[in-house]
Amino acid sequence: MTSYIAIDWGSTNLRAWHYQAGICIDERRSEAGVTRLGDRSPAEVFASVTAGWPVDDVPVVMAGMVGSNAGWLSVPYLSCPVALGDIAGRLTRVEDKAWIVPGLSVERADNYNVMRGEETQLLGALELQPAPLYVMPGTHAKWVQMEQDRVLDFRTVMTGELHHLLLKQSLVGAGLPEQQENAAAFRAGVQVGSNDASILARLFEVRASHVLGARDRRHISDFLSGLLIGHEVTLMTQQADAASQPITIIAGSALAQRYQQALQFIGMDSVTLEGDRAFQHGIRSIANVLAN
């Protein structure tokens, strides 16, 4: 089994794992994402987070925003359609210290999209939970269409960011008390969101409903979450012409459960795959290629 170092370096956080003979023997976390470096350079952060690890003796593979134009080195995207197996042969070396995984892009008149980091999760998911359609929930959710090992197309839906902005920086969430989780409120939001072709006219109603006392002011966050996710899954499964095979959700358990509920509401089957597991499996497959 290969010994290697894996780093998931995003915009706001960094996570690193040291594997020896295929077993994780150490894990480190930092808030020094590429947008939070402060007065340190990426090389200095790298040296700090890998201190004491054998960076000169084993493959070091990094994925995520570290390869963006805001990161350590701007790494070119691989244009879709692309076989995920091609990724390991298209890495970029940075300062003789590590390899950076390229992101993926779509550039068409009807779709301009990019991803960084998710491609590594997809590489792991391809072996752990293959599917023709993946959804990767988060701040900017990705919906990925596959054909065997090839990424045909993907789209990004800003559901997570929109939820945050509406709740924290718009009139929709103004004056609300501390929010509480409420499964019934989430389900109610899913029902509304999945049945409307457009939810633009529904957004102000979220505020009006609690102003008029129709909805509990403590549960608006979950209702809004259901509204946005319900609309997202309905729209994206229609656009992707989702087949009968279950959709694979790549996410942490709490968020995956929300998407699974929304998909179930519209009659779609799904399975879940923990995001960290997919990422680490993908990095391992790359490290194995580098070691050979």
Side-chain angles (χ1 to χ4, degrees):
M1 295 294 288
T2 303
S3 296
Y4 60 96
I5 293 167
I7 299 178
D8 183 3
W9 201 336
S11 297
T12 56
N13 293 285
L14 182 159
R15 294 176 300 168
W17 299 269
H18 178 201
Y19 282 85
Q20 197 169 84
I23 299 172
C24 182
I25 63 170
D26 197 6
E27 176 181 350
R28 297 174 183 173
R29 296 173 180 262
S30 168
E31 293 185 354
V34 298
T35 62
R36 294 180 176 179
L37 296 177
D39 59 356
R40 293 190 294 173
S41 68
E44 288 171 331
V45 171
F46 175 86
S48 173
V49 81
T50 61
W53 288 359
V55 293
D56 296 324
D57 303 320
V58 301
V60 181
V61 186
M62 305 189 296
M65 291 299 287
V66 64
S68 72
N69 57 9
W72 194 344
L73 183 69
S74 183
V75 175
Y77 294 102
L78 300 185
S79 180
C80 294
V82 64
L84 288 173
D86 292 346
I87 289 176
R90 302 287 295 275
L91 309 180
T92 297
R93 188 73 166 160
V94 56
E95 296 186 17
D96 288 328
K97 297 180 183 295
W99 296 95
I100 299 179
V101 179
L104 304 183
S105 67
V106 175
E107 191 172 351
R108 298 195 313 268
D110 67 334
N111 185 16
Y112 291 93
N113 256 291
V114 293
M115 69 164 66
R116 287 201 188 273
E118 292 93 348
E119 76 293 320
T120 306
Q121 290 184 318
L122 286 170
L123 190 57
L126 184 64
E127 184 173 338
L128 295 171
Q129 199 68 66
L133 181 62
Y134 290 96
V135 56
M136 312 168 85
T139 305
H140 301 146
K142 305 289 184 183
W143 289 79
V144 185
Q145 288 182 264
M146 301 287 299
E147 185 177 76
Q148 297 179 332
D149 69 334
R150 290 173 62 80
V151 179
L152 298 181
D153 197 13
F154 66 91
R155 292 187 181 272
T156 305
V157 189
M158 296 174 64
T159 301
E161 183 171 358
L162 185 57
H163 179 272
H164 175 80
L165 292 173
L166 288 170
L167 202 64
K168 301 298 183 182
Q169 298 184 38
S170 82
L171 193 62
V172 170
L176 288 175
E178 183 176 350
Q179 294 295 286
Q180 301 175 2
E181 289 191 16
N182 186 272
F186 177 78
R187 288 193 300 269
V190 168
Q191 183 171 6
V192 174
S194 62
N195 284 310
D196 272 359
S198 171
I199 58 168
L200 287 177
R202 292 289 192 178
L203 295 178
F204 187 80
E205 289 183 26
V206 178
R207 172 172 170 78
S209 66
H210 72 74
V211 168
L212 296 173
R215 297 198 184 279
D216 193 317
R217 297 172 71 244
R218 300 167 300 175
H219 304 154
I220 295 303
S221 176
D222 268 6
F223 177 79
L224 179 61
S225 176
L227 180 75
L228 295 173
I229 292 174
H231 181 68
E232 175 191 342
V233 300
T234 301
L235 178 67
M236 298 310 294
T237 52
Q238 289 174 348
Q239 287 188 357
D241 191 23
S244 57
Q245 190 171 339
I247 296 167
T248 293
I249 305 168
I250 305 175
S253 58
L255 196 51
Q257 186 178 38
R258 291 190 174 227
Y259 274 74
Q260 198 158 32
Q261 288 178 24
L263 286 165
Q264 186 177 22
F265 181 82
I266 63 170
M268 301 292 296
D269 292 328
S270 61
V271 293
T272 63
L273 176 61
E274 210 278 324
D276 273 358
R277 184 171 175 237
F279 178 87
Q280 291 171 26
H281 205 88
I283 285 283
R284 176 177 295 180
S285 69
I286 295 172
N288 285 337
V289 173
L290 289 175
N292 293 330

